Amino acid sequence: MTSVHAGPSRGRRTLVLLLWLAAVLAGVAVISRTHFSADLSAFLPASPDARQRVLIEQLQSGVASRTLMVGLEGGKDAAQRADVSRALGKAMRASGLYEQVQNGDHSDWQEAGTFVFDRRYQLSPDVTPQRFSVDGLRDAITDTMSMLGTPAGNLVRPLFERDPTGETQRIAEGLIPATSPRTEEGVWVSRTAPRAMLLATTAASGSDLDAQAAAIARIETEYTKATQGLGADVPKLLLSGAPVFSVQSRDKIKGEAVHLATVGAIVMGCLLLAAFASPKALVVALLPVLTGVVAGTAAVALVFGSVHGLTMGFGSTLIGETVDYAIYYLIQARGAAVPGTGWQRWRELNWPTVRLGLLTSVCGFAALLFSGFPGLAQLGVFSIAGLVAAALVTRHGLPMLAPDGATGIGMRRHMARVASGIVQAMPRLRVGFVVAGVVAVALMAWQGGALWRASLSSMSPISKASQALDASLREDIGASDGGTLVVVQAADEQAALRLTEAAGQRLDALVDQGQLSGYETVTRMLPSIAAQQARIASLPDAATLRTRVAEATQGMPLAAERLDPFVASVDAARGLPPITRDELAKGPMAPVVRALMFERPGGGWASLIALHTTDRFDKAQLVAALAPLPEVQVVDIGAELGSLYDRYLHEAFVQVLLGALAVVVLLGLYLRSLRRLVAVCQPLLLAVVLTLGGMAALQVPLGILHLVGLLLIVAVGSNYALFFDQLQETGRADEDTLASLMLANLTTVVSFGLIAISDIPALSAIGRVVAPGALLALLLSAAFAKRRVR
């Protein structure tokens, strides 16, 4: 027997295996230095318009991405909850992990109060020339004196002689949110539940999930310390906010990726072991799979710099895809007339079909490369690199290890019999499939665009219970209306502040009309230099003010001389320098300033105005009020996110159609026969239609990920259609070919079926489409065979 008959030569075998091992080790080296993330912002669009870009920046790294809401519910009584709240708040402030911690306890805000008092004439919007006229002074002093007999008098009385016009009080009222929480026992409490409330902003960026996890863990640790020794009846800790959601999503995605990979490997291993009845064949079959996973992961790391957890979760489906190549080889290379030549026969007869199936799959996944979502682009790179690597290992590596395929029989004969029965029975159901397809088209036409009604939120793995808790805590805190935001953009900081002040004047009119209960703006803490200069210019000199005070206090039970400290304060204020952002960056108000105003990554400055709306709020009137200021935009967050999704859904439709067209063109170039091209494409089209019809019948809201799944049906199903085309051309199907098709389809359906039951919606959506679609593609390929295969 020659060396050819005995299989590949030893030298060639050694060279091929060494090259394969070197490639795998290189991939492992790349992976070892790779950062793995689970930030769902990878599934936000990469190139939104200018207004949407501000929104996405806030979602990724703005104050909303760093805000934690803490609830202390139940326990013994309100006094106990207040004690725990104060202890927890104090410990959190001392940790340095949080930019600010608020719970209604203002004991640490003395510095801020001093700053507001000292700079009141630059901060108060009431400081105008009219305010310091005789009549203006008389009215302001009278209003302040009238408060001395009220519960607020204890706060006003110590400041009266230096601030008789009440500027400090006016500023404080403006800084208090319109819907601030109720206070009991000196701390914030819920209006509807026995719950104390805290609000914290982490110092770390919202995208730094490790730091966010550490901040959350610190709250839990300090809560344990604060409640130690209180017995069993202690308040329950409730946590929510974007950092909690982000960390929960990351942990869930990581756990799901490991779970899917583990279960997928076990299930695939059991199927292959049952099919081959040979541990050696099992190991050989898994080599292309492992190589594909390594190659896919390394390729994503090199292209994107990091690998998303959802990409690894999707990698479990690659097990079912890449193992198909090994199945085709190990089964179809059997039965060579001359021992050791099965690999050559397989390369001549079957490899061209497998290669074409690989190319069609690559065309399908290539559509993901052009997706506007970086996360989907990662899936495309991962799948293409993994499939190509697995196919190359099958083509060049497996013949070195198993020249005649798998020798064991196992369940393959039974699989061949089942497949043979399907091949014989399916053509009888052809008419039924066509009728079902017509019904599916009619159902889709009846539902129309309503069929594609999924949204970006449908990708979130956060449970309904967590979302409900977040809404409850947000209502308790009295957070601003999260649905509408006013965004100011300008070339420089001062221009942004002036525009923000102009927008505030128009919003004041809506407050007077009852449409807004209030709003939060950075200019209450950081007025523009122009506004500060105008206010300072409104202050009269000491001599003039002293004369006006004497006239204004005539007939009052107040001697004008008592207000000499007021005159001195005003005179001193006339020489104060403007308040700047750098000055505030060192004080307790810095977190609020940074939250409401920031420098844009691409240049320029942006300011946010958070609205507190009422039942009478009319967005159209808000837009009309701000229309004269083109740099000021009203962002309806829900509408903008919906617009983003609709835009990328449209683009995804185009990309999927182009991917499907590329598959058809590739098949046409290879088959060079219109009859054979129609025969191959016919079952694929009907598989897509029936899958869509099933989703429509089940009232499943479809979105971008379902659309991706439909393209994968075409990519995966083309392999089965091509094999049936090959079988029809020969007119005969041996049991090994039928068994390989049966087993390959089974592994694909099982692998996508696993992610279909995943708790991660982004994975589940693809699995629920591809698992039934791949099965339909096999059955329909058999049903639409023009000639019955023997």
Side-chain angles (χ1 to χ4, degrees), residues 321 323-333 345-358 360-361 394 423 667 670-671 676 679-681 683-684 715-745 777-778 780-782 785 787 789-790:
E321 268 285 279
V323 80
D324 288 356
Y325 303 138
I327 290 171
Y328 292 145
Y329 173 78
L330 290 174
I331 295 179
Q332 295 169 4
R345 184 171 66 99
W346 181 80
R347 284 184 180 180
E348 293 172 1
L349 296 178
N350 300 109
W351 168 247
T353 303
V354 173
R355 180 180 57 202
L356 181 59
L358 166 67
T360 58
S361 295
T394 302
V423 168
L667 291 173
Y670 175 81
L671 298 173
R676 293 177 67 186
V680 169
C681 294
L684 302 181
V716 173
S718 61
N719 293 273
Y720 312 135
L722 285 169
F723 265 112
F724 271 97
D725 174 75
Q726 177 187 338
L727 296 177
Q728 287 185 88
E729 291 302 305
T730 61
R732 181 180 180 83
D734 62 90
E735 68 174 24
D736 280 341
T737 300
L738 292 178
S740 66
L741 282 173
M742 184 77 178
L743 182 58
N745 181 259
L778 176 67
L780 290 167
S781 296
R787 258 193 336 236
V789 179
R790 299 193 305 273

Side-chain angles (χ1 to χ4, degrees), residues 301-326:
L302 291 174
V303 174
F304 295 94
S306 65
V307 180
H308 198 277
L310 285 180
T311 303
M312 299 308 299
F314 186 77
S316 64
T317 65
L318 201 64
I319 296 174
E321 268 285 279
T322 54
V323 80
D324 288 356
Y325 303 138

Side-chain angles (χ1 to χ4, degrees), residues 378-617:
Q378 278 202 19
L379 297 185
V381 170
F382 183 91
S383 300
I384 290 173
L387 289 174
V388 171
L392 291 176
V393 170
T394 302
R395 168 67 172 77
H396 298 285
L398 298 196
M400 307 299 111
L401 301 173
D404 287 322
T407 56
I409 298 298
M411 299 291 293
R412 278 181 292 156
R413 183 163 297 164
H414 299 291
M415 291 180 180
R417 289 173 182 169
V418 172
S420 179
I422 292 174
V423 168
Q424 299 302 319
M426 283 298 105
R428 302 188 187 99
L429 302 177
R430 188 180 303 166
V431 175
F433 282 126
V434 172
V435 172
V438 172
V439 172
V441 170
L443 183 59
M444 288 185 288
W446 177 63
Q447 293 196 13
L451 184 62
W452 301 90
R453 60 183 186 277
S455 62
L456 277 174
S457 61
S458 64
M459 297 184 185
S460 173
I462 302 301
S463 67
K464 297 294 184 183
S466 296
Q467 294 178 29
L469 174 62
D470 183 78
S472 176
L473 294 179
R474 191 172 299 278
E475 183 178 356
D476 286 342
I477 289 291
S480 62
D481 175 20
T484 307
L485 199 65
V486 174
V487 180
V488 180
Q489 299 185 66
D492 58 70
E493 178 183 329
Q494 288 303 311
L497 289 172
R498 290 193 297 270
L499 284 168
T500 304
E501 289 166 342
Q505 292 174 2
R506 286 168 167 77
L507 294 177
D508 287 337
L510 298 181
V511 173
D512 295 339
Q513 294 171 17
Q515 293 198 40
L516 300 177
S517 59
Y519 59 91
E520 297 167 31
T521 173
V522 68
T523 53
R524 287 180 177 150
M525 294 155 282
L526 180 62
S528 67
I529 291 179
Q532 295 183 55
Q533 290 173 340
R535 291 167 186 170
I536 292 299
S538 300
L539 301 177
D541 59 61
T544 302
L545 180 59
R546 187 173 288 106
T547 301
R548 292 178 183 176
V549 167
E551 293 181 32
T553 55
Q554 285 181 2
M556 289 186 184
L558 175 69
E561 292 75 13
R562 283 190 57 190
L563 299 183
D564 284 345
F566 166 56
V567 175
S569 296
V570 171
D571 191 53
R574 286 162 51 85
L576 290 174
I579 301 170
T580 63
R581 184 181 176 85
D582 291 340
E583 181 181 359
L584 292 180
K586 305 171 186 176
M589 289 189 290
V592 182
V593 173
R594 281 195 291 268
L596 294 177
M597 186 175 184
F598 51 91
E599 189 170 8
R600 299 283 311 286
W605 285 78
S607 169
L608 305 178
I609 301 178
L611 305 179
H612 295 271
T613 61
T614 67
D615 295 338
R616 299 171 58 186
F617 174 68

Side-chain angles (χ1 to χ4, degrees), residues 123-366:
L123 294 173
S124 175
D126 288 343
V127 176
T128 62
Q130 174 60 31
R131 181 78 159 180
F132 285 85
S133 66
V134 173
D135 292 339
L137 287 169
R138 181 182 296 111
D139 292 341
I141 294 171
T142 301
D143 289 342
T144 305
M145 290 178 64
S146 66
M147 295 191 63
L148 295 177
T150 68
N154 292 332
L155 299 176
V156 175
R157 190 172 293 107
L159 308 177
F160 178 74
E161 293 182 355
R162 289 178 292 171
D163 185 18
T165 57
E167 308 305 333
T168 306
Q169 177 191 349
R170 174 69 175 86
I171 298 168
E173 290 173 350
L175 294 177
I176 297 174
T179 54
S180 60
R182 186 169 64 89
T183 299
E184 184 178 351
E185 298 287 341
V187 300
W188 286 348
V189 296
S190 167
R191 292 181 173 85
T192 59
R195 182 189 297 162
M197 301 299 304
L198 297 92
L199 185 69
T201 305
T202 61
S205 168
S207 60
D208 188 349
L209 296 189
D210 289 334
Q212 298 298 333
I216 293 169
R218 186 59 174 264
I219 293 176
E220 294 169 342
T221 299
E222 297 299 342
Y223 161 77
T224 301
K225 293 179 181 178
T227 56
Q228 193 171 11
L230 296 182
D233 192 14
V234 298
K236 178 183 177 182
L237 177 67
L238 303 175
L239 273 171
S240 190
V244 176
F245 288 167
S246 298
V247 172
Q248 285 180 351
S249 297
R250 180 189 67 174
D251 295 343
K252 196 169 187 177
I253 289 171
K254 282 184 176 179
E256 196 75 0
V258 173
H259 173 74
L260 288 173
T262 303
V263 174
I266 292 174
V267 173
M268 292 302 111
C270 292
L271 283 175
L272 294 175
L273 193 59
F276 296 123
S278 167
K280 177 185 175 181
L282 172 62
V283 173
V284 172
L286 291 179
L287 290 178
V289 177
L290 298 176
T291 305
V293 171
V294 170
T297 307
V300 171
L302 291 174
V303 174
F304 295 94
S306 65
V307 180
H308 198 277
L310 285 180
T311 303
M312 299 308 299
F314 186 77
S316 64
T317 65
L318 201 64
I319 296 174
E321 268 285 279
T322 54
V323 80
D324 288 356
Y325 303 138
I327 290 171
Y328 292 145
Y329 173 78
L330 290 174
I331 295 179
Q332 295 169 4
R334 292 178 67 252
V338 179
T341 62
W343 63 282
Q344 293 176 323
R345 184 171 66 99
W346 181 80
R347 284 184 180 180
E348 293 172 1
L349 296 178
N350 300 109
W351 168 247
T353 303
V354 173
R355 180 180 57 202
L356 181 59
L358 166 67
L359 293 177
T360 58
S361 295
V362 168
C363 285
F365 284 109

